[in-house]
Amino acid sequence: MAEPTGTRAFSAFEWMLSLRYLRARRKEGFISVIAGFSFLGIVLGVATLIIVMAVMNGFRKELLDKILGLNGHLVIQPLESPLTDWKEVTDRVARIDGVMLASPVVEGQALASSPFASTGVLVRGVRGDDLARLPSIGNNIKQGTLEGFDHTEGVAIGRRLADQLSLRAGDSVTLVHPKGASTPLGVVPRIKPYKIVAVFEVGMSEYDAAFVFLPLPEAQAYFNRAGDVTAIEVYTNNPDQMDRFRRAISEAAGRPIFMIDWRQRNATFFNALQVERNVMFLILTLIVLVAALNIISGLIMLVKDKGPDIAILRTMGASQGSVMRVFFITGAAIGVVGTFSGLLLGTVVCLNVESIRQFISWLTRTELFSPELYFLSRLPAVMDIRETTAVVVMALTLSVAATLYPSFRAARLDPVEALRYE
C-alpha cells in the first residue's frame, strides 16, 4: 500500500482548520483568552514602538530645525586680532558655493526690564536683511514688522519674553548692561530704552524667552565694539557636510580664524537624545517579545488540547508537515494580523498626535508636553519609512519564530499516545 502523500502545502484545508482553531469553543475559552492577550500585546507593542520612534524623530528634527534656524551652522570667531575686517570676510565667505547666508553678529548679555518685570536676555546685533532671511524669524513675526529694521533703533523680541514682561509691539523695553561708559567715578551700567518693533515666535520656548535682536550698528555702540563684531555666523544648504565647508571657509577668510560648527556646539545634547532613542527602542521591543512568548504558551496548550484531533488527522492520512503547517498558520495569524493592526493604529496616532495631546490635556486639565520642559510648543511626530519597516519586520519575525516550536511539537505528536490519554 502506498504511503499517503498528504495535502498540498498551505492548501485550503489547512487554512480552514487553522482558522477554526482560532475560533474558541466553550471548553477552549482559556486558550482563546491567551490568544487574545497575545494579539493585543503585539498590537500595542508595534503601535507603541512606531509612535515613540516617530515622536523622538520629530523631537530631534524640530529641535535641529529650531537650533540651526536661529544659530549658524558654523560660527567664525577671530584669532590674534578683532574682526574689524568683518565686511570683507563676510563677502568672501558668502560667495562660497553652498553658503546661503553669512551674517556678522555682535552678542552680549543684558537685563531686559519693563514696569512689570525683568529678566536676563541674550542681545544679538544683526543686519536687518540677514534677520529677515532667517526662516525661523522672518516667517514667524507675530506682531510688528522687520521693515527698515536697520534704521529704527528698535528691537525684535520673542513672544514668551514679551509675555513675561507684559509688553507688545510698540511698547518700550529697557536694556541694562553692566559695562557702560567710563566716568571719573568708574564704569557705570548702560541703561537704554528701545521700542519693540517686532515680536517673533520661533516655537522653541528657550529661544522665544531669551533672544533680543538689535540693529548691528546699534549693538556695536551699545556693547562698546570699536567697529568689530563678535563672530560671523554661516548658514549652509547642507549642515551634514560641514567638513567640506570648513575647508572652503578657512581658505576664503584670508585671516586667522577659529571655527566651531553645530555638531560641536550641540554634541552632548544630540548624543544624549540618540542614546535615549536607542534605549527606548530596546525597552519597547520587550513588549513585542512578551506577546510572542504568549503565542508560544497559547499554541502549546492548543496542541495539548487538540491531541485527539491531531491523532485522527494523522490516521486519516495527514502528513507531519500538514499538521505542522496548520498550527503554524494558527500562531502566525495572530502575529501577522496583530502586527499590521499595530501598524495601522500607530500610523493613525502619529498623524493626529498633536490633536490627541490637546484632547488629553483638556480632559485631564493638565499641560502635557510642557514647552518649558521640552523646549517645543507642539508635540511633533515624524515617521521614518525604514524605521517603521524595521519595526514591522522585527514583530513579524518574532511572531513567526514563536510558532515554530509548538508547530513542530504538534507534528511530532504520536497518534497512539494522544488517543490513549484522551
Side-chain angles (χ1 to χ4, degrees):
M1 183 176 177
E3 192 72 25
T5 57
T7 58
R8 180 173 54 86
F10 297 103
S11 63
F13 162 74
E14 294 174 359
W15 281 93
M16 181 271 295
L17 198 57
S18 300
L19 297 178
R20 183 178 179 183
Y21 284 165
L22 282 173
R23 298 194 302 270
R25 291 177 293 181
R26 184 174 301 173
K27 67 176 184 177
E28 301 160 0
F30 184 68
I31 299 174
S32 177
V33 169
I34 294 178
F37 277 114
S38 302
F39 172 79
L40 189 60
I42 290 176
V43 171
L44 294 179
V46 172
T48 303
L49 260 174
I50 291 174
I51 294 168
V52 170
M53 292 297 103
V55 169
M56 297 197 75
N57 284 340
F59 188 63
R60 183 183 185 277
K61 181 180 182 300
E62 287 289 320
L63 281 178
L64 195 61
D65 290 344
K66 304 299 184 188
I67 291 173
L68 299 188
L70 198 59
N71 297 289
H73 302 165
L74 184 143
V75 177
I76 300 173
Q77 295 176 329
L79 281 178
E80 299 180 1
S81 61
L83 267 172
T84 53
D85 55 343
W86 56 269
K87 291 183 180 179
E88 294 77 9
V89 176
T90 299
D91 291 341
R92 290 194 295 266
V93 171
R95 287 195 292 266
I96 297 175
D97 185 34
V99 171
M100 300 173 61
L101 175 65
S103 174
V105 298
V106 172
E107 279 190 351
Q109 293 181 334
L111 179 72
S113 65
S114 72
F116 312 100
S118 60
T119 184
V121 294
L122 180 66
V123 179
R124 178 175 290 182
V126 295
R127 296 182 297 192
D129 291 342
D130 295 342
L131 185 61
R133 289 176 61 185
L134 295 180
S136 57
I137 300 295
N139 297 335
N140 294 287
I141 299 298
K142 302 303 179 182
Q143 299 175 21
T145 179
L146 291 177
E147 292 183 9
F149 181 75
D150 286 334
H151 309 291
T152 59
E153 292 190 3
V155 296
I157 67 174
R159 185 185 65 82
R160 288 189 174 275
L161 178 60
D163 291 342
Q164 289 177 16
L165 300 178
S166 300
L167 298 175
R168 57 181 300 170
D171 296 336
S172 292
V173 59
T174 301
L175 296 182
V176 182
H177 183 59
K179 296 181 180 180
S182 297
T183 68
L185 299 178
V187 178
V188 297
R190 174 167 279 119
I191 303 173
K192 187 171 182 179
Y194 289 98
K195 181 181 178 181
I196 300 173
V197 298
V199 176
F200 61 86
E201 184 176 10
V202 175
M204 188 169 179
S205 60
E206 191 176 59
Y207 289 169
D208 288 335
F211 272 84
V212 173
F213 288 98
L214 269 175
L216 183 60
E218 181 62 28
Q220 288 175 316
Y222 186 81
F223 289 111
N224 297 323
R225 311 293 301 200
D228 67 318
V229 297
T230 307
I232 299 174
E233 297 203 343
V234 181
Y235 299 81
T236 67
N237 58 4
N238 193 340
D240 293 323
Q241 294 186 355
M242 294 315 302
D243 293 334
R244 177 175 68 85
F245 286 112
R246 289 176 75 99
R247 290 191 295 269
I249 291 172
S250 179
E251 295 174 359
R255 56 158 293 153
I257 58 172
F258 173 75
M259 293 180 290
I260 180 170
D261 61 49
W262 69 271
R263 298 171 302 182
Q264 297 166 304
R265 298 170 76 180
N266 304 283
T268 302
F269 180 78
F270 284 107
N271 287 342
L273 200 63
Q274 183 65 30
V275 170
E276 182 182 358
R277 182 172 169 275
N278 294 337
V279 171
M280 288 297 294
F281 182 86
L282 293 176
I283 293 174
L284 294 174
T285 300
L286 295 178
I287 300 177
V288 182
L289 181 59
V290 170
L293 293 177
N294 284 338
I295 294 177
I296 295 177
S297 61
L299 276 183
I300 290 177
M301 294 182 66
L302 183 63
V303 169
K304 185 172 182 177
D305 184 72
K306 297 296 183 181
D309 293 14
I310 296 172
I312 294 172
L313 286 172
R314 293 296 310 281
T315 304
M316 293 175 64
S319 65
Q320 288 185 341
S322 181
V323 174
M324 182 175 181
R325 288 190 293 272
V326 167
F327 287 92
F328 174 82
I329 294 172
T330 302
I334 298 173
V336 171
V337 176
T339 297
F340 285 103
S341 298
L343 173 62
L344 178 61
L345 176 62
T347 302
V348 170
V349 172
C350 287
L351 294 176
N352 301 278
V353 65
E354 176 61 17
S355 299
I356 294 172
R357 182 194 72 84
Q358 292 177 0
F359 174 74
I360 296 176
S361 296
W362 172 81
L363 191 65
T364 60
R365 300 186 184 279
T366 58
E367 187 175 19
L368 299 179
F369 200 78
S370 171
E372 286 78 11
L373 183 60
Y374 294 98
F375 304 113
L376 303 178
S377 56
R378 57 180 293 273
L379 185 62
V382 177
M383 293 182 65
D384 182 84
I385 295 179
R386 291 178 299 178
E387 200 169 69
T388 304
T389 303
V391 171
V392 171
V393 170
M394 179 269 297
L396 290 175
T397 302
L398 288 177
S399 302
V400 170
T403 65
L404 295 179
Y405 172 71
S407 303
F408 178 76
R409 182 171 173 175
R412 299 286 295 177
L413 191 65
D414 185 1
V416 177
E417 294 295 326
L419 289 173
R420 179 182 299 175
Y421 293 105
E422 170 61 11

